[in-house]
Amino acid sequence: MNPDLLFVVTAALSLAGVIGGVVARDRQITRMIADGDKELHARVNRVREDMVRRSDLDGHLLRVDEAIKELRAELRESRKETTMRLDAILAAVKTGS
Protein backbone atom coordinates (compact mmCIF):
# COMPACT_ATOMS: atom_id res chain seq x y z
CA MET A 1 0.00 0.00 0.00
CA ASN A 2 1.17 3.49 -0.75
CA PRO A 3 2.65 5.16 2.40
CA ASP A 4 0.92 8.47 1.63
CA LEU A 5 -2.46 6.76 1.25
CA LEU A 6 -1.86 4.81 4.49
CA PHE A 7 -1.07 8.09 6.29
CA VAL A 8 -4.25 9.76 4.98
CA VAL A 9 -6.44 6.76 5.94
CA THR A 10 -4.84 6.54 9.39
CA ALA A 11 -5.20 10.29 9.93
CA ALA A 12 -8.84 10.21 8.79
CA LEU A 13 -9.64 7.29 11.10
CA SER A 14 -7.85 8.98 14.00
CA LEU A 15 -9.69 12.24 13.35
CA ALA A 16 -13.00 10.38 13.15
CA GLY A 17 -12.19 8.62 16.45
CA VAL A 18 -11.33 11.91 18.17
CA ILE A 19 -14.47 13.62 16.84
CA GLY A 20 -16.58 10.62 17.87
CA GLY A 21 -15.05 10.73 21.35
CA VAL A 22 -15.76 14.45 21.68
CA VAL A 23 -19.36 13.97 20.53
CA ALA A 24 -19.87 11.04 22.91
CA ARG A 25 -18.43 13.02 25.85
CA ASP A 26 -20.55 16.03 24.94
CA ARG A 27 -23.70 13.92 24.94
CA GLN A 28 -22.73 12.36 28.27
CA ILE A 29 -22.18 15.77 29.86
CA THR A 30 -25.46 17.05 28.41
CA ARG A 31 -27.27 14.02 29.85
CA MET A 32 -25.63 14.55 33.26
CA ILE A 33 -26.68 18.21 33.26
CA ALA A 34 -30.23 17.30 32.24
CA ASP A 35 -30.44 14.68 35.00
CA GLY A 36 -29.13 17.21 37.52
CA ASP A 37 -31.68 19.75 36.32
CA LYS A 38 -34.50 17.23 36.68
CA GLU A 39 -33.40 16.43 40.24
CA LEU A 40 -33.10 20.11 41.10
CA HIS A 41 -36.55 20.87 39.68
CA ALA A 42 -38.01 17.94 41.62
CA ARG A 43 -36.49 19.31 44.84
CA VAL A 44 -37.77 22.82 44.12
CA ASN A 45 -41.26 21.49 43.40
CA ARG A 46 -41.22 19.41 46.60
CA VAL A 47 -40.21 22.45 48.66
CA ARG A 48 -42.87 24.57 46.97
CA GLU A 49 -45.52 21.94 47.77
CA ASP A 50 -44.39 21.49 51.38
CA MET A 51 -44.07 25.18 52.23
CA VAL A 52 -46.84 27.73 52.65
CA ARG A 53 -46.67 31.27 51.35
CA ARG A 54 -46.57 34.06 53.91
CA SER A 55 -49.60 35.74 52.34
CA ASP A 56 -51.61 32.56 52.94
CA LEU A 57 -50.77 32.66 56.63
CA ASP A 58 -51.40 36.36 57.25
CA GLY A 59 -55.10 35.86 58.04
CA HIS A 60 -54.33 33.06 60.49
CA LEU A 61 -51.59 35.06 62.17
CA LEU A 62 -53.85 38.06 62.58
CA ARG A 63 -56.49 35.86 64.16
CA VAL A 64 -53.93 34.39 66.58
CA ASP A 65 -52.73 37.90 67.48
CA GLU A 66 -56.32 38.97 68.19
CA ALA A 67 -56.86 35.91 70.38
CA ILE A 68 -53.69 36.65 72.34
CA LYS A 69 -54.79 40.25 72.91
CA GLU A 70 -58.16 39.05 74.17
CA LEU A 71 -56.50 36.58 76.53
CA ARG A 72 -54.24 39.30 77.91
CA ALA A 73 -57.24 41.53 78.57
CA GLU A 74 -59.08 38.68 80.31
CA LEU A 75 -56.02 37.94 82.45
CA ARG A 76 -55.76 41.58 83.48
CA GLU A 77 -59.41 41.60 84.51
CA SER A 78 -58.96 38.34 86.42
CA ARG A 79 -55.93 39.76 88.24
CA LYS A 80 -57.85 42.89 89.20
CA GLU A 81 -60.76 40.80 90.50
CA THR A 82 -58.41 38.52 92.43
CA THR A 83 -56.62 41.50 93.94
CA MET A 84 -59.95 43.04 94.98
CA ARG A 85 -61.05 39.76 96.60
CA LEU A 86 -57.75 39.36 98.44
CA ASP A 87 -57.97 42.95 99.66
CA ALA A 88 -61.51 42.29 100.91
CA ILE A 89 -60.36 39.12 102.70
CA LEU A 90 -57.43 40.98 104.32
CA ALA A 91 -59.72 43.83 105.39
CA ALA A 92 -62.16 41.32 106.90
CA VAL A 93 -59.38 39.53 108.73
CA LYS A 94 -57.97 42.82 110.12
CA THR A 95 -61.34 44.08 111.34
CA GLY A 96 -62.24 40.68 112.76
CA SER A 97 -59.14 40.40 114.91
Side-chain angles (χ1 to χ4, degrees):
M1 190 172 213
N2 187 354
D4 291 333
L5 181 61
L6 183 61
F7 174 75
V8 171
V9 170
T10 305
L13 288 176
S14 297
L15 184 61
V18 168
I19 291 173
V22 168
V23 168
R25 182 66 181 158
D26 182 55
R27 287 185 180 170
Q28 181 184 12
I29 290 174
T30 303
R31 188 173 33 251
M32 288 172 52
I33 291 171
D35 291 343
D37 286 348
K38 286 179 187 175
E39 183 179 332
L40 178 63
H41 288 297
R43 289 174 55 194
V44 168
N45 290 338
R46 189 171 56 244
V47 168
R48 186 175 45 208
E49 291 168 0
D50 292 345
M51 297 295 181
V52 177
R53 289 181 300 203
R54 175 74 182 194
S55 61
D56 293 341
L57 287 179
D58 281 342
H60 299 292
L61 292 175
L62 291 174
R63 188 173 39 145
V64 169
D65 287 341
E66 296 279 330
I68 289 173
K69 287 178 185 176
E70 290 175 10
L71 286 172
R72 283 183 184 160
E74 289 175 11
L75 283 174
R76 283 188 194 119
E77 290 177 25
S78 295
R79 263 191 307 223
K80 287 179 185 176
E81 290 174 5
T82 304
T83 302
M84 289 173 49
R85 289 179 186 160
L86 288 174
D87 288 343
I89 291 172
L90 287 174
V93 169
K94 284 184 183 178
T95 57
S97 34

Coordinates of all heavy atoms in Angstrom, one line a residue:
M1 N 0.8 -1.2 0.0 CA 0.0 0.0 0.0 C 0.9 1.2 0.0 O 2.0 1.2 0.6 CB -0.9 0.0 1.2 CG -2.0 1.0 1.2 SD -3.1 0.6 2.6 CE -4.6 1.2 1.9
N2 N 0.4 2.3 -0.6 CA 1.2 3.5 -0.8 C 1.3 4.1 0.6 O 0.3 4.3 1.3 CB 0.4 4.4 -1.7 CG 1.2 5.6 -2.1 OD1 2.3 5.9 -1.5 ND2 0.7 6.4 -3.0
P3 N 2.5 4.6 1.1 CA 2.6 5.2 2.4 C 1.8 6.5 2.6 O 1.3 6.7 3.7 CB 4.1 5.5 2.5 CG 4.8 4.8 1.4 CD 3.8 4.4 0.4
D4 N 1.7 7.2 1.5 CA 0.9 8.5 1.6 C -0.6 8.1 1.8 O -1.3 8.8 2.6 CB 1.1 9.3 0.4 CG 2.5 9.9 0.3 OD1 3.1 10.1 1.4 OD2 2.9 10.2 -0.8
L5 N -1.1 7.2 1.1 CA -2.5 6.8 1.2 C -2.7 6.2 2.6 O -3.7 6.5 3.3 CB -2.8 5.7 0.2 CG -4.3 5.2 0.2 CD1 -5.3 6.4 -0.1 CD2 -4.5 4.2 -0.9
L6 N -1.8 5.4 3.1 CA -1.9 4.8 4.5 C -1.9 5.9 5.5 O -2.7 5.9 6.5 CB -0.7 3.9 4.7 CG -0.7 3.1 6.1 CD1 -1.9 2.3 6.2 CD2 0.6 2.3 6.2
F7 N -1.1 7.0 5.4 CA -1.1 8.1 6.3 C -2.4 8.8 6.3 O -3.0 9.2 7.3 CB 0.1 9.1 5.9 CG 0.0 10.3 6.8 CD1 0.5 10.3 8.1 CD2 -0.4 11.5 6.3 CE1 0.4 11.4 8.9 CE2 -0.5 12.6 7.0 CZ 0.0 12.6 8.3
V8 N -3.0 9.1 5.1 CA -4.2 9.8 5.0 C -5.4 8.9 5.6 O -6.2 9.5 6.4 CB -4.6 10.1 3.5 CG1 -6.0 10.6 3.3 CG2 -3.6 11.1 2.9
V9 N -5.4 7.6 5.4 CA -6.4 6.8 5.9 C -6.3 6.7 7.5 O -7.3 6.8 8.2 CB -6.4 5.4 5.3 CG1 -7.3 4.4 6.1 CG2 -6.7 5.4 3.9
T10 N -5.1 6.6 8.0 CA -4.8 6.5 9.4 C -5.2 7.9 10.0 O -5.9 7.9 11.1 CB -3.4 6.2 9.7 OG1 -3.0 5.0 9.0 CG2 -3.1 6.1 11.2
A11 N -4.9 9.0 9.4 CA -5.2 10.3 9.9 C -6.7 10.5 9.9 O -7.3 11.0 10.9 CB -4.5 11.4 9.1
A12 N -7.4 10.1 8.9 CA -8.8 10.2 8.8 C -9.5 9.4 9.9 O -10.5 9.8 10.5 CB -9.3 9.8 7.4
L13 N -9.1 8.1 10.1 CA -9.6 7.3 11.1 C -9.4 7.9 12.5 O -10.2 7.8 13.4 CB -9.1 5.9 11.0 CG -9.6 5.1 9.8 CD1 -8.9 3.7 9.7 CD2 -11.1 4.9 9.9
S14 N -8.2 8.4 12.7 CA -7.8 9.0 14.0 C -8.7 10.2 14.3 O -9.2 10.4 15.4 CB -6.4 9.4 14.1 OG -5.6 8.3 13.9
L15 N -8.9 11.0 13.2 CA -9.7 12.2 13.3 C -11.1 11.9 13.6 O -11.8 12.5 14.5 CB -9.6 13.1 12.1 CG -10.3 14.4 12.1 CD1 -9.8 15.3 13.2 CD2 -10.2 15.1 10.8
A16 N -11.6 10.8 12.9 CA -13.0 10.4 13.1 C -13.2 9.8 14.6 O -14.2 10.1 15.2 CB -13.4 9.3 12.1
G17 N -12.2 9.1 15.1 CA -12.2 8.6 16.5 C -12.2 9.8 17.5 O -13.0 9.7 18.5
V18 N -11.4 10.8 17.2 CA -11.3 11.9 18.2 C -12.7 12.7 18.1 O -13.2 13.0 19.2 CB -10.1 12.8 17.8 CG1 -10.2 14.2 18.6 CG2 -8.8 12.2 18.1
I19 N -13.2 12.9 17.0 CA -14.5 13.6 16.8 C -15.6 12.8 17.5 O -16.4 13.3 18.2 CB -14.8 14.0 15.4 CG1 -13.8 15.0 14.9 CG2 -16.2 14.4 15.2 CD1 -13.9 15.3 13.4
G20 N -15.6 11.5 17.2 CA -16.6 10.6 17.9 C -16.5 10.7 19.4 O -17.5 10.7 20.1
G21 N -15.3 10.7 19.9 CA -15.1 10.7 21.4 C -15.6 12.0 21.9 O -16.2 12.1 23.0
V22 N -15.3 13.1 21.2 CA -15.8 14.5 21.7 C -17.3 14.5 21.7 O -17.9 15.0 22.6 CB -15.2 15.6 20.8 CG1 -15.8 16.9 21.1 CG2 -13.7 15.7 21.0
V23 N -17.9 14.0 20.6 CA -19.4 14.0 20.5 C -20.0 13.1 21.6 O -20.9 13.5 22.3 CB -19.8 13.5 19.1 CG1 -21.3 13.2 19.1 CG2 -19.5 14.5 18.1
A24 N -19.4 11.9 21.9 CA -19.9 11.0 22.9 C -19.7 11.7 24.3 O -20.7 11.6 25.1 CB -19.1 9.7 22.9
R25 N -18.6 12.3 24.6 CA -18.4 13.0 25.8 C -19.4 14.2 26.0 O -19.9 14.4 27.1 CB -17.0 13.5 26.0 CG -16.6 14.2 27.3 CD -16.7 13.2 28.4 NE -16.4 13.9 29.6 CZ -16.8 13.5 30.8 NH1 -17.5 12.4 30.9 NH2 -16.5 14.2 31.9
D26 N -19.6 14.9 24.9 CA -20.6 16.0 24.9 C -22.0 15.6 25.3 O -22.7 16.2 26.1 CB -20.5 16.8 23.6 CG -21.4 18.0 23.6 OD1 -21.3 18.8 24.5 OD2 -22.3 18.0 22.7
R27 N -22.4 14.5 24.7 CA -23.7 13.9 24.9 C -23.8 13.4 26.4 O -24.8 13.6 27.0 CB -24.0 12.8 24.0 CG -24.3 13.3 22.6 CD -24.7 12.2 21.7 NE -25.0 12.7 20.3 CZ -25.2 12.0 19.3 NH1 -25.2 10.7 19.3 NH2 -25.4 12.6 18.1
Q28 N -22.7 12.8 26.9 CA -22.7 12.4 28.3 C -22.8 13.5 29.2 O -23.6 13.5 30.2 CB -21.4 11.6 28.6 CG -21.4 11.0 30.0 CD -20.1 10.3 30.3 OE1 -19.1 10.4 29.5 NE2 -20.0 9.6 31.4
I29 N -22.1 14.6 29.0 CA -22.2 15.8 29.9 C -23.6 16.4 29.8 O -24.1 16.8 30.8 CB -21.1 16.8 29.5 CG1 -19.7 16.2 29.9 CG2 -21.3 18.1 30.1 CD1 -18.5 17.1 29.5
T30 N -24.1 16.5 28.6 CA -25.5 17.0 28.4 C -26.5 16.2 29.2 O -27.4 16.8 29.8 CB -25.8 17.1 26.9 OG1 -24.8 17.9 26.2 CG2 -27.2 17.7 26.7
R31 N -26.4 14.9 29.1 CA -27.3 14.0 29.8 C -27.1 14.2 31.4 O -28.1 14.2 32.1 CB -27.0 12.6 29.4 CG -28.0 11.6 30.0 CD -27.9 10.2 29.5 NE -26.5 9.7 29.2 CZ -26.0 9.6 27.9 NH1 -26.8 9.8 26.9 NH2 -24.8 9.2 27.7
M32 N -25.9 14.3 31.8 CA -25.6 14.5 33.3 C -26.2 15.9 33.7 O -26.9 15.9 34.8 CB -24.1 14.5 33.6 CG -23.5 13.1 33.5 SD -21.7 13.1 33.6 CE -21.4 14.0 35.1
I33 N -26.1 16.9 32.9 CA -26.7 18.2 33.3 C -28.2 18.1 33.3 O -28.9 18.6 34.2 CB -26.2 19.3 32.3 CG1 -24.7 19.6 32.5 CG2 -27.0 20.6 32.4 CD1 -24.1 20.5 31.4
A34 N -28.8 17.4 32.3 CA -30.2 17.3 32.2 C -30.7 16.5 33.4 O -31.8 16.9 34.0 CB -30.6 16.6 30.9
D35 N -30.0 15.4 33.8 CA -30.4 14.7 35.0 C -30.3 15.5 36.3 O -31.2 15.5 37.1 CB -29.6 13.4 35.1 CG -29.8 12.4 34.1 OD1 -30.9 12.5 33.4 OD2 -29.0 11.5 33.9
G36 N -29.3 16.3 36.4 CA -29.1 17.2 37.5 C -30.2 18.3 37.6 O -30.8 18.6 38.6
D37 N -30.6 18.8 36.4 CA -31.7 19.8 36.3 C -33.0 19.1 36.8 O -33.8 19.7 37.5 CB -31.8 20.3 34.9 CG -30.7 21.3 34.6 OD1 -30.0 21.7 35.5 OD2 -30.6 21.7 33.4
K38 N -33.3 17.9 36.3 CA -34.5 17.2 36.7 C -34.6 17.0 38.2 O -35.6 17.3 38.8 CB -34.6 15.9 36.0 CG -34.9 16.0 34.5 CD -35.0 14.6 33.9 CE -35.2 14.6 32.4 NZ -35.1 13.3 31.8
E39 N -33.4 16.6 38.8 CA -33.4 16.4 40.2 C -33.6 17.8 41.0 O -34.3 17.8 42.0 CB -32.1 15.8 40.6 CG -32.0 15.5 42.1 CD -30.6 14.9 42.5 OE1 -30.0 14.2 41.6 OE2 -30.2 15.1 43.6
L40 N -33.0 18.8 40.5 CA -33.1 20.1 41.1 C -34.5 20.6 41.0 O -35.1 21.1 42.0 CB -32.2 21.1 40.4 CG -32.2 22.6 41.0 CD1 -31.8 22.6 42.4 CD2 -31.4 23.5 40.1
H41 N -35.2 20.5 39.8 CA -36.6 20.9 39.7 C -37.5 20.1 40.6 O -38.4 20.6 41.1 CB -37.0 20.8 38.2 CG -36.4 21.8 37.3 ND1 -36.6 23.1 37.5 CD2 -35.5 21.7 36.3 CE1 -35.9 23.8 36.6 NE2 -35.3 23.0 35.8
A42 N -37.2 18.8 40.7 CA -38.0 17.9 41.6 C -37.9 18.4 43.1 O -38.9 18.5 43.8 CB -37.6 16.5 41.5
R43 N -36.7 18.8 43.5 CA -36.5 19.3 44.8 C -37.2 20.6 45.0 O -37.8 20.9 46.1 CB -35.0 19.5 45.1 CG -34.3 18.1 45.3 CD -32.8 18.3 45.5 NE -32.5 19.1 46.6 CZ -31.2 19.6 46.7 NH1 -30.3 19.3 45.9 NH2 -31.0 20.4 47.7
V44 N -37.1 21.5 44.0 CA -37.8 22.8 44.1 C -39.3 22.6 44.2 O -40.0 23.3 45.0 CB -37.4 23.7 42.9 CG1 -38.3 24.9 42.8 CG2 -35.9 24.1 43.0
N45 N -39.8 21.7 43.4 CA -41.3 21.5 43.4 C -41.7 20.9 44.7 O -42.8 21.3 45.3 CB -41.7 20.6 42.3 CG -41.5 21.2 40.9 OD1 -41.6 22.4 40.8 ND2 -41.4 20.4 39.9
R46 N -40.9 20.0 45.3 CA -41.2 19.4 46.6 C -41.2 20.5 47.7 O -42.1 20.5 48.5 CB -40.2 18.3 46.9 CG -40.6 17.5 48.1 CD -39.7 16.3 48.3 NE -38.3 16.6 48.4 CZ -37.4 16.2 47.5 NH1 -37.7 15.5 46.5 NH2 -36.1 16.6 47.6
V47 N -40.2 21.4 47.7 CA -40.2 22.5 48.7 C -41.4 23.4 48.5 O -42.0 23.8 49.5 CB -38.9 23.2 48.6 CG1 -38.9 24.5 49.3 CG2 -37.7 22.4 49.0
R48 N -41.7 23.7 47.2 CA -42.9 24.6 47.0 C -44.2 23.9 47.5 O -45.0 24.6 48.0 CB -43.0 24.9 45.5 CG -44.0 25.9 45.2 CD -44.1 26.3 43.7 NE -43.9 25.1 42.9 CZ -43.4 25.1 41.7 NH1 -43.0 26.3 41.1 NH2 -43.4 24.0 40.9
E49 N -44.3 22.6 47.3 CA -45.5 21.9 47.8 C -45.6 21.8 49.3 O -46.7 21.9 49.9 CB -45.6 20.5 47.2 CG -45.8 20.5 45.7 CD -45.6 19.2 45.1 OE1 -45.3 18.2 45.8 OE2 -45.8 19.0 43.8
D50 N -44.4 21.7 49.9 CA -44.4 21.5 51.4 C -44.5 22.8 52.1 O -45.0 22.8 53.3 CB -43.1 20.8 51.8 CG -43.0 19.3 51.3 OD1 -44.1 18.8 50.9 OD2 -42.0 18.7 51.4
M51 N -44.1 23.9 51.6 CA -44.1 25.2 52.2 C -45.4 25.9 51.9 O -46.1 25.7 51.0 CB -42.9 26.0 51.8 CG -41.6 25.5 52.1 SD -41.4 25.4 53.9 CE -39.8 24.7 54.1
V52 N -45.6 26.9 52.8 CA -46.8 27.7 52.6 C -46.4 29.2 52.5 O -45.4 29.6 53.1 CB -47.7 27.6 53.9 CG1 -48.9 28.5 53.8 CG2 -48.2 26.2 54.1
R53 N -47.0 29.9 51.6 CA -46.7 31.3 51.3 C -47.1 32.1 52.5 O -48.1 31.8 53.2 CB -47.4 31.8 50.1 CG -46.8 31.2 48.8 CD -47.5 31.8 47.7 NE -48.9 31.5 47.8 CZ -49.7 31.4 46.8 NH1 -49.3 31.7 45.6 NH2 -51.0 31.1 46.9
R54 N -46.3 33.1 52.8 CA -46.6 34.1 53.9 C -47.9 34.7 53.8 O -48.7 34.9 54.7 CB -45.5 35.1 54.0 CG -45.6 36.2 55.0 CD -45.4 35.7 56.3 NE -45.6 36.8 57.3 CZ -45.2 36.7 58.5 NH1 -44.5 35.7 58.9 NH2 -45.5 37.7 59.3
S55 N -48.3 35.1 52.6 CA -49.6 35.7 52.3 C -50.8 34.8 52.7 O -51.8 35.3 53.1 CB -49.7 36.2 50.9 OG -49.7 35.1 50.0
D56 N -50.6 33.5 52.6 CA -51.6 32.6 52.9 C -51.8 32.5 54.5 O -52.9 32.2 54.9 CB -51.3 31.2 52.4 CG -51.4 31.1 50.9 OD1 -52.0 32.0 50.3 OD2 -50.8 30.2 50.3
L57 N -50.7 32.8 55.2 CA -50.8 32.7 56.6 C -51.2 34.0 57.3 O -51.4 34.0 58.5 CB -49.4 32.2 57.2 CG -49.0 30.8 57.0 CD1 -47.6 30.5 57.5 CD2 -50.0 29.8 57.6
D58 N -51.2 35.1 56.6 CA -51.4 36.4 57.3 C -52.7 36.4 58.0 O -52.8 36.9 59.1 CB -51.3 37.5 56.2 CG -49.9 37.9 55.9 OD1 -49.0 37.5 56.7 OD2 -49.7 38.5 54.8
G59 N -53.8 35.9 57.4 CA -55.1 35.9 58.0 C -55.1 35.1 59.3 O -55.6 35.5 60.4
H60 N -54.4 33.9 59.3 CA -54.3 33.1 60.5 C -53.5 33.7 61.6 O -53.9 33.7 62.8 CB -53.7 31.7 60.1 CG -54.5 30.9 59.2 ND1 -55.7 30.4 59.4 CD2 -54.2 30.6 57.9 CE1 -56.2 29.8 58.4 NE2 -55.3 29.9 57.4
L61 N -52.4 34.4 61.2 CA -51.6 35.1 62.2 C -52.3 36.2 62.8 O -52.2 36.5 64.0 CB -50.3 35.5 61.5 CG -49.3 34.4 61.1 CD1 -48.1 35.0 60.4 CD2 -48.9 33.6 62.3
L62 N -53.1 37.0 62.0 CA -53.9 38.1 62.6 C -54.9 37.6 63.6 O -55.1 38.2 64.6 CB -54.5 38.9 61.5 CG -53.6 39.7 60.6 CD1 -54.4 40.3 59.4 CD2 -52.9 40.7 61.4
R63 N -55.5 36.4 63.2 CA -56.5 35.9 64.2 C -55.8 35.4 65.5 O -56.4 35.6 66.6 CB -57.2 34.7 63.5 CG -58.3 34.1 64.3 CD -59.1 33.1 63.5 NE -58.1 32.3 62.8 CZ -58.3 31.0 62.5 NH1 -59.3 30.4 63.0 NH2 -57.4 30.3 61.9
V64 N -54.7 34.8 65.4 CA -53.9 34.4 66.6 C -53.5 35.6 67.4 O -53.6 35.6 68.6 CB -52.7 33.6 66.2 CG1 -51.8 33.3 67.4 CG2 -53.1 32.2 65.6
D65 N -53.1 36.7 66.8 CA -52.7 37.9 67.5 C -53.9 38.5 68.2 O -53.8 38.9 69.4 CB -52.2 38.9 66.5 CG -50.8 38.6 66.0 OD1 -50.1 37.8 66.7 OD2 -50.3 39.2 65.0
E66 N -55.1 38.5 67.6 CA -56.3 39.0 68.2 C -56.7 38.1 69.4 O -57.0 38.6 70.5 CB -57.5 38.9 67.2 CG -57.3 39.9 66.0 CD -57.7 41.3 66.4 OE1 -58.6 41.5 67.2 OE2 -57.1 42.2 65.8
A67 N -56.5 36.8 69.3 CA -56.9 35.9 70.4 C -55.9 36.2 71.6 O -56.3 36.2 72.7 CB -56.8 34.5 69.9
I68 N -54.7 36.4 71.3 CA -53.7 36.6 72.3 C -54.0 38.0 73.0 O -54.0 38.0 74.3 CB -52.3 36.7 71.8 CG1 -51.8 35.2 71.4 CG2 -51.3 37.2 72.8 CD1 -50.5 35.2 70.7
K69 N -54.4 39.0 72.3 CA -54.8 40.3 72.9 C -56.0 40.1 73.8 O -56.1 40.6 74.9 CB -55.1 41.3 71.8 CG -53.8 41.8 71.1 CD -54.2 42.8 70.0 CE -53.0 43.2 69.3 NZ -53.3 44.1 68.1
E70 N -57.0 39.3 73.4 CA -58.2 39.1 74.2 C -57.8 38.3 75.4 O -58.3 38.6 76.5 CB -59.2 38.3 73.4 CG -59.8 39.0 72.3 CD -60.8 38.2 71.4 OE1 -61.0 37.0 71.8 OE2 -61.2 38.7 70.4
L71 N -56.9 37.3 75.3 CA -56.5 36.6 76.5 C -55.8 37.5 77.5 O -56.0 37.4 78.7 CB -55.6 35.4 76.1 CG -56.3 34.2 75.5 CD1 -55.3 33.2 75.0 CD2 -57.2 33.6 76.5
R72 N -54.9 38.4 77.0 CA -54.2 39.3 77.9 C -55.2 40.2 78.7 O -55.1 40.4 79.9 CB -53.3 40.2 77.1 CG -52.0 39.5 76.7 CD -51.1 40.4 76.0 NE -49.9 39.7 75.5 CZ -49.1 40.2 74.6 NH1 -49.4 41.3 74.0 NH2 -48.1 39.5 74.2
A73 N -56.2 40.7 77.9 CA -57.2 41.5 78.6 C -58.0 40.7 79.6 O -58.2 41.3 80.7 CB -58.2 42.1 77.5
E74 N -58.4 39.5 79.3 CA -59.1 38.7 80.3 C -58.2 38.4 81.5 O -58.7 38.4 82.7 CB -59.5 37.4 79.7 CG -60.6 37.5 78.7 CD -60.9 36.2 78.0 OE1 -60.5 35.1 78.4 OE2 -61.7 36.2 76.9
L75 N -56.9 38.2 81.3 CA -56.0 37.9 82.4 C -55.9 39.2 83.3 O -55.8 39.1 84.6 CB -54.6 37.5 82.0 CG -54.5 36.1 81.5 CD1 -53.2 35.8 80.9 CD2 -54.8 35.1 82.7
R76 N -55.8 40.3 82.7 CA -55.8 41.6 83.5 C -57.0 41.7 84.3 O -56.9 42.1 85.5 CB -55.6 42.8 82.5 CG -54.2 42.9 82.0 CD -54.1 44.3 81.2 NE -52.9 44.2 80.5 CZ -52.8 44.3 79.1 NH1 -53.9 44.5 78.4 NH2 -51.6 44.2 78.5
E77 N -58.2 41.5 83.7 CA -59.4 41.6 84.5 C -59.4 40.6 85.7 O -59.8 40.9 86.8 CB -60.6 41.4 83.6 CG -60.9 42.5 82.6 CD -62.0 42.2 81.7 OE1 -62.9 41.3 82.1 OE2 -62.0 42.7 80.6
S78 N -59.0 39.4 85.4 CA -59.0 38.3 86.4 C -58.0 38.7 87.5 O -58.3 38.5 88.7 CB -58.5 37.0 85.8 OG -59.4 36.5 84.9
R79 N -56.9 39.3 87.2 CA -55.9 39.8 88.2 C -56.5 40.9 89.1 O -56.4 40.9 90.3 CB -54.6 40.3 87.6 CG -53.5 39.2 87.6 CD -52.3 39.9 87.2 NE -52.4 40.6 85.9 CZ -51.6 40.6 84.9 NH1 -50.5 39.9 85.0 NH2 -51.9 41.3 83.8
K80 N -57.2 41.8 88.4 CA -57.9 42.9 89.2 C -58.9 42.3 90.1 O -59.0 42.7 91.3 CB -58.5 43.9 88.2 CG -57.5 44.7 87.5 CD -58.2 45.7 86.6 CE -57.2 46.5 85.7 NZ -57.8 47.4 84.7
E81 N -59.7 41.4 89.7 CA -60.8 40.8 90.5 C -60.1 40.0 91.7 O -60.6 40.1 92.8 CB -61.6 39.9 89.7 CG -62.5 40.6 88.7 CD -63.3 39.7 87.8 OE1 -63.2 38.4 88.0 OE2 -64.0 40.1 86.9
T82 N -59.1 39.3 91.4 CA -58.4 38.5 92.4 C -57.8 39.5 93.5 O -57.9 39.2 94.7 CB -57.3 37.6 91.8 OG1 -57.9 36.8 90.8 CG2 -56.6 36.8 92.9
T83 N -57.2 40.5 93.0 CA -56.6 41.5 93.9 C -57.7 42.1 94.8 O -57.5 42.3 96.0 CB -55.9 42.6 93.2 OG1 -54.9 42.0 92.4 CG2 -55.2 43.6 94.1
M84 N -58.8 42.5 94.2 CA -59.9 43.0 95.0 C -60.5 42.0 96.0 O -60.7 42.4 97.2 CB -61.1 43.5 94.0 CG -60.8 44.7 93.2 SD -62.0 45.1 92.0 CE -63.5 45.1 92.8
R85 N -60.6 40.8 95.7 CA -61.0 39.8 96.6 C -60.1 39.6 97.7 O -60.4 39.4 98.9 CB -61.3 38.4 95.9 CG -62.5 38.5 95.0 CD -62.7 37.1 94.3 NE -63.7 37.2 93.3 CZ -63.9 36.4 92.3 NH1 -63.0 35.4 92.1 NH2 -64.9 36.5 91.5
L86 N -58.8 39.5 97.4 CA -57.8 39.4 98.4 C -57.7 40.6 99.4 O -57.6 40.4 100.6 CB -56.4 39.1 97.8 CG -56.1 37.8 97.2 CD1 -54.8 37.8 96.5 CD2 -56.2 36.7 98.2
D87 N -57.9 41.8 98.8 CA -58.0 43.0 99.7 C -59.2 42.9 100.6 O -59.1 43.3 101.8 CB -58.0 44.2 98.8 CG -56.7 44.5 98.1 OD1 -55.7 44.0 98.5 OD2 -56.7 45.3 97.1
A88 N -60.3 42.4 100.1 CA -61.5 42.3 100.9 C -61.3 41.3 102.0 O -61.7 41.5 103.2 CB -62.7 41.9 100.0
I89 N -60.6 40.1 101.7 CA -60.4 39.1 102.7 C -59.4 39.7 103.8 O -59.6 39.5 105.0 CB -59.8 37.9 102.0 CG1 -60.8 37.2 101.2 CG2 -59.2 36.9 103.1 CD1 -60.3 36.0 100.4
L90 N -58.4 40.4 103.4 CA -57.4 41.0 104.3 C -58.1 42.0 105.2 O -57.9 42.1 106.4 CB -56.2 41.6 103.6 CG -55.2 40.6 103.0 CD1 -54.2 41.4 102.2 CD2 -54.6 39.8 104.1
A91 N -59.0 42.8 104.6 CA -59.7 43.8 105.4 C -60.6 43.1 106.4 O -60.8 43.6 107.6 CB -60.5 44.7 104.5
A92 N -61.3 42.0 106.0 CA -62.2 41.3 106.9 C -61.4 40.7 108.0 O -61.8 40.7 109.2 CB -63.0 40.3 106.1
V93 N -60.2 40.2 107.7 CA -59.4 39.5 108.7 C -58.9 40.6 109.7 O -58.8 40.4 110.9 CB -58.2 38.8 108.1 CG1 -57.2 38.3 109.1 CG2 -58.7 37.6 107.3
K94 N -58.5 41.8 109.2 CA -58.0 42.8 110.1 C -59.1 43.4 111.0 O -58.8 43.6 112.2 CB -57.4 43.9 109.3 CG -56.0 43.6 108.7 CD -55.5 44.8 108.0 CE -54.1 44.5 107.3 NZ -53.6 45.6 106.6
T95 N -60.3 43.5 110.5 CA -61.3 44.1 111.3 C -61.9 43.0 112.3 O -62.4 43.3 113.3 CB -62.5 44.6 110.5 OG1 -63.0 43.6 109.6 CG2 -62.1 45.8 109.7
G96 N -61.7 41.8 111.9 CA -62.2 40.7 112.8 C -61.3 40.4 113.9 O -61.7 39.8 114.9
S97 N -60.0 40.8 113.8 CA -59.1 40.4 114.9 C -59.0 41.4 116.0 O -59.5 42.4 116.2 CB -57.7 40.1 114.4 OG -57.3 40.8 113.3

